[in-house]
Amino acid sequence: MLLSVKSLLDGMAGITYLTDPDGQIVDVGRENWNAFARANGAPELINGGSVIGHNVLDFVVGDDVRDSYRRCFEAISGDRLDYIRLLSRCDSPGVRRKLWFTVRPVRSASSLQAMLVQILVICEELRPPIELFDFATLRAAQSANARLPFLGMCSYCQDVRFPAGSIDGDGEWMSAEGYYRRGGNAKVRISHTMCPTCFELDGQLLPH
Ligand SMILES: [Zn+2]
């Protein structure tokens, strides 16, 4: 059976892309990817434009989370794991969204040819829009005032550290909804990091 990688990628559910063994993105599943790009007003992403040729880690925000993803990809490329699946969040202002992020090796005989990434939304819940996830509004507030306090946001679960301006070991981690209930607002600069719960899970579950 001759099956082109392109048609396989295009036929898979969710957002899919293929990287080379070093993590450089070589192709994307066009149909779902383009629908995602259009829905997010990002025409530069159509057909993988602005991501193909770049390393997947370039698009992970937060140093500690990038390190986790790097360890995952290295465990796959180093043949230490058959696959990796991470539960993650990707909210937009009016939607709470949980997703699976899965990485699998693509081997020919015993040598690694590529890594296949699939991102599947497993749960979407509507909610009143929350500005903290409206990046255009956040950017506009930042350019109007460069001295806004930093707000730590967990890259995995998207909880935030209340109050804004708290630093490591300080403040209280809570959902974005809880942050607003306590009087928090979106006049902040988001600083992506890992909350203590996700940090502990990361230590227990991910390869080292
Ligand atoms: Zn977290």
Side-chain angles (χ1 to χ4, degrees):
M1 179 174 61
L2 187 64
L3 179 66
S4 92
V5 170
K6 260 190 196 325
S7 64
L8 181 65
L9 273 181
D10 286 343
M12 288 178 68
I15 299 288
T16 54
Y17 55 87
L18 207 59
T19 79
D20 71 9
D22 296 322
Q24 187 165 306
I25 298 172
V26 293
D27 207 353
V28 301
R30 306 277 160 132
E31 198 173 317
N32 293 342
W33 183 282
N34 291 349
F36 171 81
R38 287 189 195 100
N40 287 280
E44 71 279 9
L45 290 177
I46 297 282
N47 292 332
S50 81
V51 299
I52 288 176
H54 294 269
N55 196 286
V56 64
L57 297 181
D58 293 347
F59 304 102
V60 179
V61 288
D63 290 346
D64 38 11
V65 181
R66 193 178 308 109
D67 186 56
S68 297
Y69 277 76
R70 183 185 53 73
R71 296 200 317 269
C72 290
F73 280 97
E74 283 177 0
I76 297 287
S77 63
D79 207 11
R80 284 180 281 126
L81 282 177
D82 289 335
Y83 77 99
I84 295 249
R85 192 164 68 171
L86 302 174
L87 184 61
S88 191
R89 285 275 292 272
C90 187
D91 286 18
S92 47
V95 185
R96 195 183 293 119
R97 191 176 288 118
K98 285 184 190 168
L99 45 86
W100 283 125
F101 176 93
T102 308
V103 190
R104 290 179 187 276
V106 180
R107 293 198 179 91
S108 168
S110 62
S111 83
L112 183 74
Q113 302 295 310
M115 292 186 279
L116 175 65
V117 178
Q118 183 178 34
I119 299 164
L120 280 176
V121 174
I122 53 172
C123 173
E124 277 189 318
E125 295 168 322
L126 296 180
R127 65 166 175 220
I130 288 185
E131 273 189 329
L132 274 186
F133 298 101
D134 179 349
F135 298 108
T137 301
L138 290 177
R139 268 198 302 274
Q142 259 179 55
S143 53
N145 177 2
R147 296 168 60 104
L148 293 175
F150 280 108
L151 177 69
M153 178 182 282
C154 177
S155 294
Y156 282 127
C157 69
Q158 299 203 315
D159 277 4
V160 294
R161 185 165 44 200
F162 179 86
S166 312
I167 51 168
D168 281 348
D170 219 5
E172 187 183 340
W173 284 91
M174 60 186 67
S175 67
E177 290 89 339
Y179 168 82
Y180 275 90
R181 277 197 291 274
R182 296 276 288 270
N185 61 50
K187 294 187 176 61
V188 293
R189 282 180 284 175
I190 301 286
S191 164
H192 282 96
T193 178
M194 242 189 266
C195 74
T197 306
C198 291
F199 184 78
E200 197 181 323
L201 280 175
D202 182 88
Q204 287 176 22
L205 300 178
L206 296 190
H208 289 275

